[in-house]
Amino acid sequence: MRHYNKGFTLIELLIVIAIVAILATIATLLYQDYVAQSQVERAYIELATYKSAVEEHLSRGRHVMSNSELGYAPSNLTAAASGDIANFLLDGSGSLEVTLGGNASPLVSGTHISISRSTNGIWNCDIDESGAGAWKDVYMPSGCL
């Protein structure tokens, strides 16, 4: 009676390892995109929370607002684009602006997020991705141009 070895050959093991490596690489890239997208969305939402404080200040006739008056607390992802995040004119138009940095993914670090207000009180979002490392359209938060 013959006895056969029952196991995997070296070639079969190498093929399995190669397949697992390819899947791990794809998963890592998708995860990095997910992290970058969620960081941009988070920064946008954090900035949008200050719209109500701006509206309150504007309704009282105050167009100059410091970060402390708005209650702005920079997160580990954002920094004020220039001094104060709010820049408004006497007519009520202006914008809230931050730049991604700090612990932000290198894919989106340097992205400038601006939420602007028109004189009639309509808010619009604009994202300048020219400073980002490797911007992709999927990183754009919903409602932004």
Side-chain angles (χ1 to χ4, degrees):
M1 182 178 249
R2 290 189 164 169
H3 179 33
Y4 293 101
N5 288 336
K6 294 183 180 181
F8 296 107
T9 66
L10 181 60
I11 297 293
E12 290 171 333
L13 290 175
L14 290 175
I15 290 171
V16 168
I17 290 172
I19 292 171
V20 169
I22 290 169
L23 292 175
T25 302
I26 293 170
T28 301
L29 294 174
L30 290 174
Y31 179 73
Q32 288 174 344
D33 281 348
Y34 171 76
V35 167
Q37 180 183 9
S38 66
Q39 287 177 342
V40 172
E41 186 76 29
R42 176 182 151 197
Y44 169 71
I45 290 170
E46 287 175 356
L47 186 61
T49 59
Y50 299 106
K51 290 192 303 187
S52 59
V54 167
E55 290 292 345
E56 180 182 346
H57 279 76
L58 291 174
S59 70
R60 295 176 188 218
R62 298 176 54 207
H63 67 281
V64 177
M65 298 160 243
S66 69
N67 289 343
S68 60
E69 289 174 328
L70 291 176
Y72 174 69
S75 72
N76 62 345
L77 294 178
T78 62
S82 61
D84 291 326
I85 64 167
N87 299 305
F88 287 89
L89 302 174
L90 288 172
D91 64 0
S93 64
S95 62
L96 294 166
E97 301 177 5
V98 294
T99 302
L100 282 167
N103 294 339
S105 168
L107 299 172
V108 295
S109 185
T111 301
H112 184 77
I113 301 174
S114 175
I115 302 175
S116 58
R117 182 185 187 275
S118 65
T119 55
N120 57 0
I122 297 174
W123 290 89
N124 292 309
C125 171
D126 183 39
I127 298 205
D128 178 12
E129 67 275 355
S130 61
W135 182 266
K136 294 180 183 176
D137 289 337
V138 296
Y139 302 155
M140 188 71 68
S142 58
C144 288
L145 304 174

